[in-house]
Amino acid sequence: MFTSFLIKYAEIGIKGKNRYLFEDALVRQIRIALGRCDGEFHVHKTQGRIFVDALSEFDFDEAVEQMKTVFGISGICPVVVVEDKGFEQLARDVIAYIEKVYPDKNKTFKVAARRSRKDYPMDSVEINMEMGGIILDAFPQMKVDVHHPDILLTVEVREKIYIYSEIIPGPGGMPVGTNGKGMLLLSGGIDSPVAGYMIAKRGVKIDAVYFHAPPYTSERAKQKVVDLAKLVSRYAGPIHLHVINFTDIQLYIYDKCPHDELTIIMRRYMMKIAEHIAEETDCLGLITGESIGQVASQTMQSLAVTNEVCRLPVFRPLIGMDKQEIVDISEKINTYETSVLPYEDCCTIFVAKHPVTKPNLGIIKKHEQNLSEKIDELVQTALDTDEVIVVE
Ligand code: ATP
Ligand code: MG
């Protein structure tokens, strides 16, 4: 019965010019999301509202599922749109609406009229009163509850009249494309896809880099990362995934540095390379899935030593979260199942039995001097052989 949706969005603090940018980006992202569904849709902005009208047959559930991936949407309201043909006709339309949407009439309700067109002959209080009375007459089982109604029946009088009562929650956040671009260090684990999702939720477009170590890491491990990028891109939009061959760098570090410092030195080179690609692709920061204390390389001391190589800000949206909280989000965004597939990632191959948990920057830097002969060349080769996969 529904052929239109009213889109609610939060972040109402956004004013002036930024509000237009926000709304235009939201319209654009809704169009892209609905482009993935069968059917034709008209997405438009009118008087500070965004509406979606279906212009052809469409699958309601599929359209809603797609819109639930659009950051910036706080609520999706299926709405019945009627022409203004006088109050009596409107009352008949409202009764028909309740008849269809609520087969069980054992409910409390409240009418919330809004009149944005001041030439309508009744004001909102009058509409509430009159309509309430008509509903009670039509459905004697229903009762009014002005504080906690089961049904908040909204009637918005504009050029046309909009009737709705259901709000399907959207993902919140801000439309992707309103806040620049970031470079996500994406591994095959649980954390980094969640980190990418969380930063994209703030309107940031995402590119990604994956450090691959063939033959120590398999093609399937790489495919898993591509699959994860695809799942994140449902929300974040197309992702340019840079696959960097890290094997020779890892082997060189393994050869030249103390094994308990391997992970931390490796992570410093990952950050360095990621930053290089970020700067070349106009990314304004790096994004990782690190969380304080989760593993040896994520103690405060380790994070400080890793961070030291970067000029760009490093965003770590999971920094204060427990593993279970991260898992909950990964389940919600559907990356968990893929993340727990058992393919090696490049860090688990070379891990020491007892990695340092309190690395000292001076000592690490001193040991990195062991790499001075070949490391620049190896880093350059890794950058030169960057394989870019566009994931959408
Ligand atoms: P994740 O679940 O995201 O893999 P993790 O708990 O396994 O995280 P680490 O392996 O210490 O933690 O990695 C910390 C962060 O470093 C990751 O969240 C990710 O952002 C980045 N990272 C680790 N390994 C790689 C890799 N092979 N390629 C790209 N980024 C990586
Ligand atoms: Mg990992």
Side-chain angles (χ1 to χ4, degrees):
M1 65 175 281
F2 293 105
T3 57
S4 293
F5 299 89
L6 186 160
I7 304 299
K8 299 210 166 195
Y9 44 95
E11 308 283 348
I12 43 174
I14 297 168
K15 298 227 169 70
K17 182 165 164 267
N18 288 336
R19 188 178 177 98
Y20 280 98
L21 294 176
F22 180 102
E23 290 168 340
D24 291 347
L26 187 52
V27 166
R28 210 161 41 236
Q29 295 303 325
I30 295 170
R31 285 188 184 135
I32 294 172
L34 289 173
R36 298 193 284 253
C37 306
D38 288 336
E40 216 182 306
F41 300 89
H42 178 45
V43 185
H44 56 107
K45 197 167 89 169
T46 352
Q47 298 172 300
R49 290 273 198 203
I50 291 173
F51 290 100
V52 174
D53 298 323
L55 303 177
S56 66
E57 291 286 307
F58 74 108
D59 184 321
F60 180 88
D61 293 335
E62 186 189 28
V64 168
E65 267 324 296
Q66 286 303 337
M67 286 190 280
K68 278 184 173 175
T69 67
V70 178
F71 292 130
I73 295 182
S74 65
I76 304 158
C77 307
V79 59
V80 166
V81 187
V82 297
E83 300 289 340
D84 177 15
K85 292 182 182 156
F87 186 76
E88 280 181 18
Q89 180 57 43
L90 177 61
R92 281 193 288 275
D93 292 330
V94 167
I95 297 300
Y97 175 96
I98 296 174
E99 189 65 80
K100 275 200 195 143
V101 179
Y102 301 101
D104 174 12
K105 303 289 182 301
N106 233 319
K107 298 213 184 289
T108 60
F109 76 98
K110 171 183 173 180
V111 179
R114 277 196 212 161
R115 191 183 58 149
S116 71
R117 185 153 62 77
K118 298 302 169 202
D119 63 354
Y120 197 76
M122 296 161 80
D123 68 20
S124 53
V125 177
E126 288 168 328
I127 299 174
N128 289 345
M129 300 278 286
E130 281 289 318
M131 196 63 84
I134 290 168
I135 293 171
L136 286 172
D137 287 344
F139 307 113
Q141 313 94 300
M142 293 182 74
K143 290 192 184 63
V144 172
D145 180 344
V146 292
H147 299 296
H148 303 288
D150 299 326
I151 305 169
L152 180 66
L153 190 95
T154 307
V155 177
E156 287 196 18
V157 180
R158 299 162 169 271
E159 219 38 55
K160 294 181 179 179
I161 301 176
Y162 300 81
I163 306 165
Y164 63 93
S165 57
E166 303 274 286
I167 302 183
I168 302 161
M174 304 179 76
V176 169
T178 52
N179 256 325
K181 189 162 72 165
M183 179 62 71
L184 171 66
L185 282 86
L186 181 62
S187 68
I190 295 170
D191 305 330
S192 43
V194 173
Y197 166 87
M198 289 186 63
I199 295 294
K201 185 175 177 193
R202 299 310 303 161
V204 178
K205 198 175 151 25
I206 301 280
D207 277 343
V209 53
Y210 166 58
F211 295 93
H212 181 45
Y216 303 97
T217 60
S218 62
E219 271 306 298
R220 284 166 82 197
K222 174 176 156 189
Q223 186 56 44
K224 176 178 157 181
V225 174
V226 174
D227 293 343
L228 285 170
K230 204 169 283 180
L231 291 167
V232 174
S233 78
R234 279 195 66 205
Y235 296 90
I239 293 175
H240 288 236
L241 173 65
H242 298 259
V243 179
I244 293 288
N245 188 325
F246 204 53
T247 311
D248 290 342
I249 295 173
Q250 254 182 325
L251 288 172
Y252 191 52
I253 300 172
Y254 191 76
D255 198 29
K256 299 284 184 190
C257 298
H259 288 182
D260 60 345
E261 292 171 0
L262 218 68
T263 306
I264 196 84
I265 294 176
M266 214 174 67
R267 295 203 45 73
R268 280 164 59 88
Y269 278 96
M270 280 188 183
M271 298 300 256
K272 235 179 243 183
I273 293 172
E275 181 174 71
H276 190 98
I277 306 170
E279 285 177 336
E280 296 222 311
T281 55
D282 298 322
C283 291
L284 299 169
L286 302 179
I287 303 156
T288 76
E290 291 160 311
S291 149
I292 294 174
Q294 203 188 73
V295 288
S297 59
Q298 296 175 27
T299 61
M300 282 293 275
Q301 291 86 349
S302 298
L303 289 168
V305 170
T306 308
N307 205 68
E308 193 267 345
V309 296
C310 299
R311 286 180 303 269
L312 286 180
V314 181
F315 300 114
R316 301 178 169 92
L318 314 185
I319 200 69
M321 292 174 101
D322 295 342
K323 194 72 188 187
Q324 189 56 48
E325 295 173 287
I326 301 168
V327 166
D328 289 348
I329 300 176
S330 75
E331 284 176 333
K332 186 180 85 181
I333 66 171
N334 208 21
T335 53
Y336 182 77
E337 263 183 47
T338 305
S339 288
V340 295
L341 292 173
Y343 314 126
E344 295 293 353
D345 78 19
C346 74
C347 305
T348 55
I349 292 285
F350 294 96
V351 279
K353 277 219 181 66
H354 301 290
V356 281
T357 54
K358 294 188 176 126
N360 173 292
L361 182 60
I363 296 173
I364 296 287
K365 280 186 154 175
K366 184 162 157 277
H367 290 151
E368 281 178 351
Q369 285 171 8
N370 301 349
L371 304 170
S372 60
E373 192 189 332
K374 268 174 47 184
I375 193 73
D376 289 347
E377 186 192 323
L378 291 176
V379 167
Q380 194 54 50
T381 307
L383 287 167
D384 291 344
T385 54
D386 177 5
E387 179 198 2
V388 185
I389 303 173
V390 180
V391 178
E392 47 197 327

